[in-house]
Amino acid sequence: ADRFIRDWFRARRYAGSKDRAQVAEHVFGAYRRRAHFSWRLQSTAPRALMIASLLDGGTAPAEIEALFSGEGHAPAALTQAERAALEGSPPEPPDWVKGEFPEFLTDQLVRAFGDRVIEEMVAFLSRAPIDLRANTLTATRDVVIDALKRDSLGAQSMPFAREGVRLPPGARSATLSQSALFRSGAFEFQDEAAQIAVLLSAARPGMRVLDLAAGAGGKTLGLAALMANEGEIVACDIREEALAQLRMRAARAGVSIVRTVTRARDETFDLVFLDAPCSGSGTWRRQPELKWRLTPERLSELCRLQEMLLEEAAARVSVGGRLVYATCSVLPQENEDRVAALARKRFAPVAALAAWSTACGVPPPPGMGQFFRPTPLQTGTDGFFTALFERTS
């Protein structure tokens, strides 16, 4: 949605900065509270969402009718049905409206959160902070934080990820990627939950690592830093454009141990990291439009893809090696259900809590047990899932 808004305004230069900010705020507000707004007006039409958002913000019905005058740049006058909806009261909303999630995901989210489902999902409605990972190949976390503080950006250490830096939501994020500090490779953008997943991998110098479905390489670069840029990482993705971006990011970060491929060869590795394509349900704070684009058919398609990639990942792990399966999803269908069969395929589960204690030696974040399952409510991070396995034979 942010890219669409950016491109929309590029073609409409007459809009001033305040107009652009107001429109973007309205669009994202409608995405975040789409269920509530559509329930209030009993319609999913874009006009209905905007009318409901005004009503929700305290604008009186008479004022809304005056805004919808049809004159000049104003939207067309309210219809009789819209006036009736404004004056009436909808029935008591169901849980999926209270929690702002697609109705078809109710069973999955209840499986994930039980009687906390509404509380957990409401936590996805707030804006996410800006999370960074200090790149220890070029800078320390303290150096990054001090530099950002000098620029009045309110940086602070993350509570759990040892190289993590957190900025408040909207802290001039657009300028960060243009800063000299970023161009020097001192930090990368990465949510704390994803940073913790990389720490759980226990990657170390000299290893041979496969990052399957590597995308643009956020996990690849985190693994390279853990490995002190010693060993080898094969980053595999079918999208050459994503690998081109990875190579550019690696050069900026001072990473020289990465080899990019569009298809993994028939070889085995000490560590295979699979950050599988998924629904992105854990990122709904950052991309609220994703929840309303997801369909049952698309979710089933993603699960089939995850199963196929997990089969390939398992085949690439050396005996005694570690397999990490991760998603930025909170849905059991994409997480626990996908890894349930691994124990029957010569893999032993490794408790995330035990891996954290070994790798970090400090108190664990919430959500750390057999799996790592953080959420905005519990950990202040994106929703995420990480499962660890060791190949036994």
Side-chain angles (χ1 to χ4, degrees), residues 104-317:
F104 81 90
L105 290 179
T106 299
D107 290 346
Q108 281 290 303
L109 291 169
V110 169
R111 275 186 64 193
F113 302 124
D115 57 9
R116 302 193 324 272
V117 63
I118 295 177
E119 186 182 9
E120 288 278 2
M121 297 316 299
V122 166
F124 279 89
L125 301 183
S126 60
R127 293 182 66 186
I130 300 170
D131 282 2
L132 314 174
R133 178 185 57 79
N135 175 23
T136 53
L137 298 178
T138 63
T140 66
R141 177 164 71 172
D142 288 344
V143 165
V144 173
I145 289 176
D146 289 345
L148 293 171
K149 283 183 175 178
R150 286 196 298 272
D151 205 18
S152 303
L153 283 171
Q156 59 183 1
S157 300
M158 283 180 181
F160 305 111
R162 63 192 183 207
E163 307 303 342
V165 178
R166 178 159 290 157
L167 305 177
R172 305 209 314 265
S173 57
T175 64
L176 276 173
S177 60
Q178 306 301 320
S179 66
L181 191 66
F182 178 72
R183 291 197 302 270
S184 72
F187 69 83
E188 292 287 335
F189 293 89
Q190 190 172 51
D191 182 77
E192 184 174 23
Q195 294 185 43
I196 291 172
V198 172
L199 291 173
L200 290 173
S201 74
R204 58 185 183 274
M207 275 188 165
R208 294 192 71 246
V209 176
L210 172 64
D211 186 0
L212 190 61
K219 311 298 188 305
T220 301
L221 300 182
L223 291 164
L226 274 185
M227 296 165 66
N229 207 28
E230 298 175 14
E232 181 186 29
I233 301 176
V234 175
C236 180
D237 200 282
I238 61 172
R239 298 165 298 159
E240 175 55 38
E241 65 275 16
L243 295 178
Q245 187 177 355
L246 190 162
R247 290 190 289 270
M248 179 181 67
R249 294 176 69 185
R252 183 180 62 235
V255 172
S256 59
I257 62 171
V258 175
R259 172 165 56 94
T260 59
V261 298
T262 54
R263 185 176 180 83
R265 293 201 303 249
D266 188 13
E267 54 185 332
T268 59
F269 297 83
D270 304 310
L271 168 66
V272 176
F273 198 109
L274 172 57
D275 184 12
C278 68
S279 65
S281 55
T283 68
W284 285 347
R285 292 185 305 171
R286 303 179 190 277
Q287 297 176 284
E289 73 275 15
L290 290 183
K291 69 174 76 174
W292 308 118
R293 289 167 52 187
L294 187 64
T295 64
E297 294 76 21
R298 176 57 177 160
L299 183 56
S300 296
E301 180 184 332
L302 285 165
C303 288
R304 289 191 294 271
L305 177 59
Q306 291 153 7
E307 191 167 334
M308 180 189 74
L309 287 169
L310 196 51
E311 286 280 347
E312 181 171 356
R316 299 285 178 262
V317 183

Side-chain angles (χ1 to χ4, degrees), residues 162 199-202 204 322 350-362 364 368 388:
R162 63 192 183 207
L199 291 173
L200 290 173
S201 74
R204 58 185 183 274
R322 177 166 291 185
V350 176
L353 180 59
W356 172 267
S357 299
T358 301
C360 301
V362 296
M368 191 74 75
L388 311 172

